[in-house]
Amino acid sequence: MLTMRQHWKRRLGVAALLLGASLACSPPEHRQAPPPPDAAQFDDRTPEDGGTVVLRLDTDIRSLNPVFINSVYEKEVASFLFDGLLELDQEGRVIPGIAKSWEISPDGKAYTFHLGTSTFSDGTAVKAADVIFTLNHILHDSPELSGAFEGMQTAGTRAIDDQTVQVAFDKARAGQLLAFGTAILPEHIYSKGDFAKDYAFAVTGNGPYRLLRRTAGKEVVLQRRGDYPGKKPHLEYVMFKVIGDASVAWDALRRGDIDEMELNSEQWTRAQADAGFQREIDLRRFYKLGYNFIPWNTRNPILADKRVRQALSMCLDRKSIIQHVYGGTARVITGPFTPDQWAYNPEVPPVEFNPAAAKQLLSDAGWRDTDRDGVLDQNKLPLEIRMLVPSGSRTSIEQAQIFQDSLKQIGVKLDLEQLDNATLIGRVTQGKFEATFLSWDLDLDPDLYALFHTDQIPPHGQNWVFYSNPEVDALLVQGREAMDQKQRTVIYQKLHQILAADQPYTWVLQESVKWASNKRLRNVKESRALGPFFWVPGPRDWWIPTPFRKRELSASR
């Protein structure tokens, strides 16, 4: 699943809860204890169970129904509540999840999964019928995930017995196995009532944690399941605090009110120069599979012309932004793949900053300032674009203002509208926007079908820019069906070239993840492709020595 994340967190996503289905709780009590002087000197060779970790959410979540998750924040919370049919390890390799083993038919069209011992948080076993129930809802109800199961055959998809499920497709696809990392829902609960509304925040998962409490706009609290049949995590509680403002989050990290966050470039520079900060906080920097971009809604008559999109891209000074906004901790990208992906085309050049050439290109496309008001126009239509900007992101606002100034010099009016994160995501997913700043967290397989195929225009997929190109459509289908990686490489490098020319997105940069975590957290590791989350064991192996537990939660029934 491609997960949306706002440009400002990072980290597109992935991605509010009510009380858990089987546990009603009084408000947890916070018991403070003074921390020891130096968390880095404790012997951490023997993990201890218990304790509470506090993670930051940049924005509140809108759903924890895996079928409707579309932001990385929702995905992050859900990863503690649900196990996937398959999982990923630290190297991004597929490993058993709910399914303990699987076979793929010789023609690549049928997948048979053998379920292991997995239970939902209400105590019932995960069965093959639950897998079928979930996949059918994904296929028919999920704009974000349905593309990954395109061509699933209802007739050939069946529960062979309670522990065995077969999933059939009309065609073989090279990256299909990765799609089975999806969460599985209990049919006996989610089949009742309104699937789209009743289970946004009422969660019955099969993961190592259950939902304890959610306070809208403030926090989400999870508790470790005592009946979890798999390897249990060490941490008793996971608390997510919603902190939209980066400076507020920074202060919370310094005080120890939260245990981790992604730093912006300014914070990264400050942290590296602060020896006292580094005594308490670990710093990590790495590139994940993802990039920042400006999506252009091609339904807009102005943005429908690729020459206009090309000209706009030529007015974004990426090199200057990387140097002055990101402090050199990012790199230019040229299209829909990052330099670390095998699908990347090294022959595609970056769009150079050239306002003069952009103005000439707009003139060639018929845009001139006929009324001498400083704004280009065509048939009395001014070249004016409204860009949505996340109000809590200084980085996004700075870039938008830089872009606005550059465009003004060539006669393009860029109006900026600041919105809170949740509202912005809602506008984008509904297609009610012209431009904005966003980021994608990418799948390990470079399949772009859900983003750019004509069939994936909302409400069916994630083609929120309403892009349509018959040549691209054909290549997208070929790319997911070709089983030979050399052949796929040729196809995706061609796609890279075409999309870079058409510019349905302005591909901005790949920002390195700058991640900070409190040293009281032990055994913290990251995956080069996935970061600290979304792989197993990942956070399940984190633990906190008893002397360093600054806060504890207690829950009574």
Side-chain angles (χ1 to χ4, degrees):
M1 176 178 69
L2 290 164
T3 308
M4 182 173 70
R5 57 185 170 89
Q6 275 79 6
H7 164 98
W8 56 94
K9 175 176 181 185
R10 118 179 236 280
R11 206 184 156 332
L12 302 185
V14 112
L17 317 165
L18 291 174
L19 292 175
S22 60
L23 184 65
C25 306
S26 62
E29 299 171 359
H30 294 256
R31 299 196 296 271
Q32 297 291 337
D38 189 350
Q41 295 179 4
F42 189 83
D43 181 359
D44 58 1
R45 289 173 294 182
T46 306
E48 300 178 47
D49 288 348
T52 302
V53 65
V54 183
L55 310 179
R56 179 200 176 192
L57 287 179
D58 293 28
T59 186
D60 202 3
I61 54 179
R62 301 191 301 165
S63 178
L64 280 177
N65 183 334
V67 171
F68 299 113
I69 284 174
N70 62 26
S71 80
V72 73
Y73 314 109
E74 294 162 349
K75 184 182 177 186
E76 190 170 308
V77 178
S79 69
F80 290 84
L81 296 167
F82 295 93
D83 287 340
L85 192 61
L86 302 177
E87 299 284 359
L88 298 173
D89 68 8
Q90 189 174 7
E91 301 303 317
R93 296 171 298 209
V94 175
I95 59 174
I98 299 169
K100 63 181 180 180
S101 62
W102 59 91
E103 298 98 35
I104 304 174
S105 64
D107 63 3
K109 297 181 182 180
Y111 295 75
T112 302
F113 297 96
H114 305 279
L115 307 186
T117 303
S118 179
T119 62
F120 294 108
S121 57
D122 67 347
T124 60
V126 179
K127 298 180 179 180
D130 298 312
V131 177
I132 302 298
F133 171 80
T134 304
L135 293 180
N136 282 332
H137 271 290
I138 286 174
L139 191 62
H140 297 107
D141 299 327
S142 175
E144 285 70 39
L145 298 176
S146 59
F149 292 92
E150 191 83 16
M152 191 180 89
Q153 298 296 292
T154 303
T157 298
R158 61 193 180 95
I160 297 174
D161 56 45
D162 279 352
Q163 296 301 113
T164 312
V165 60
Q166 177 179 286
V167 185
F169 294 88
D170 59 356
K171 296 178 182 178
R173 295 194 176 94
Q176 188 64 60
L177 190 64
L178 285 166
F180 289 104
T182 182
I184 302 302
L185 301 173
E187 181 179 18
H188 68 281
I189 292 178
Y190 283 71
S191 61
K192 300 173 183 177
D194 189 326
F195 181 81
K197 296 180 180 179
D198 294 346
Y199 300 102
F201 310 125
V203 180
T204 304
N206 66 324
Y209 288 86
R210 70 174 77 236
L211 175 63
L212 188 63
R213 167 181 93 229
R214 181 250 178 179
T215 304
K218 294 184 178 180
E219 65 183 24
V220 178
V221 181
L222 313 180
Q223 183 180 22
R224 184 178 58 189
R225 286 178 54 196
D227 63 343
Y228 181 66
K231 181 183 177 183
K232 292 180 175 60
H234 297 296
L235 295 166
E236 179 70 17
Y237 296 97
V238 178
M239 172 184 284
F240 295 88
K241 283 193 174 182
V242 180
I243 307 177
D245 187 277
S247 62
V248 174
W250 166 265
D251 291 338
L253 180 69
R254 292 184 66 93
R255 290 192 306 267
D257 292 341
I258 60 174
D259 289 311
E260 65 82 39
M261 66 176 286
E262 287 193 19
L263 306 181
N264 60 34
S265 298
E266 179 184 354
Q267 291 167 340
W268 176 258
T269 301
R270 289 164 61 190
Q272 286 188 308
D274 188 338
F277 181 85
Q278 292 186 55
R279 278 196 296 270
E280 297 294 329
I281 305 295
D282 276 328
L283 299 175
R284 292 174 170 84
R285 188 168 83 88
F286 49 90
Y287 284 101
K288 293 194 313 174
L289 293 181
Y291 54 75
N292 299 347
F293 65 101
I294 299 172
W296 303 109
N297 191 331
T298 63
R299 284 195 307 183
N300 180 282
I302 294 173
L303 298 170
D305 188 337
K306 75 175 183 180
R307 293 172 297 179
V308 173
R309 302 193 299 268
Q310 291 168 345
L312 295 171
S313 296
M314 293 164 67
C315 290
L316 187 66
D317 192 348
R318 295 163 182 77
K319 292 181 180 179
S320 178
I321 287 172
I322 288 173
Q323 187 61 38
H324 296 103
V325 178
Y326 289 93
T329 62
R331 56 188 179 186
V332 172
I333 59 167
T334 62
F337 306 115
T338 71
D340 297 318
Q341 290 181 285
W342 53 262
Y344 178 82
N345 188 339
E347 302 301 319
V348 175
V351 176
E352 295 295 336
F353 179 62
N354 193 336
K359 187 171 184 178
Q360 182 59 55
L361 184 58
L362 290 173
S363 178
D364 294 342
W367 293 96
R368 300 177 180 84
D369 187 6
T370 60
D371 54 8
R372 300 183 181 277
D373 65 349
V375 178
L376 302 178
D377 57 83
Q378 185 179 122
N379 299 324
K380 298 185 179 180
L381 175 68
L383 211 172
E384 183 175 350
I385 300 164
R386 179 170 294 275
M387 172 174 277
L388 308 183
V389 184
S391 57
S393 170
R394 179 179 174 183
T395 302
S396 294
I397 293 170
E398 286 180 357
Q399 290 185 77
Q401 291 172 340
I402 291 171
F403 196 27
Q404 184 183 49
D405 289 342
S406 296
L407 290 173
K408 183 177 180 180
Q409 302 305 313
I410 67 165
V412 177
K413 186 178 181 183
L414 185 69
D415 298 317
L416 305 181
E417 181 181 356
Q418 295 189 30
L419 297 173
D420 67 88
N421 302 352
T423 302
L424 189 149
I425 292 176
R427 290 268 295 271
V428 171
T429 57
Q430 296 171 37
K432 297 178 180 179
F433 77 105
E434 295 174 6
T436 187
F437 277 104
L438 292 177
S439 294
W440 279 122
D441 280 343
L442 304 177
D443 286 336
L444 293 173
D445 188 86
D447 186 358
L448 300 174
Y449 185 89
L451 298 187
F452 297 111
H453 196 281
T454 302
D455 287 348
Q456 296 300 298
I457 287 174
H460 305 294
Q462 296 172 294
N463 187 352
W464 296 318
V465 292
F466 299 88
Y467 173 75
S468 182
N469 180 326
E471 184 180 8
V472 167
D473 286 348
L475 288 170
L476 288 170
V477 172
Q478 293 170 25
R480 61 185 356 210
E481 294 180 0
M483 304 305 287
D484 179 78
Q485 180 144 325
K486 290 184 179 179
Q487 183 183 0
R488 293 188 84 202
T489 300
V490 172
I491 292 168
Y492 283 121
Q493 288 188 346
K494 180 64 174 177
L495 276 169
H496 189 153
Q497 181 182 37
I498 297 172
L499 289 167
D502 282 359
Q503 292 286 294
Y505 298 171
T506 289
W507 281 276
V508 182
L509 52 84
Q510 185 185 24
E511 179 184 0
S512 62
V513 177
K514 296 167 283 291
W515 194 62
S517 62
N518 195 297
K519 287 184 177 180
R520 74 191 193 96
L521 281 178
R522 302 309 166 110
N523 206 26
V524 176
K525 301 174 183 177
E526 75 273 0
S527 161
R528 193 178 75 163
L530 302 167
F533 303 102
F534 312 121
W535 58 278
V536 173
R540 302 183 188 199
D541 267 0
W542 296 358
W543 65 282
I544 303 172
T546 300
F548 300 97
R549 294 178 188 172
K550 297 172 59 177
R551 62 186 68 79
E552 290 295 324
L553 297 181
S554 63
S556 59
R557 289 186 181 274

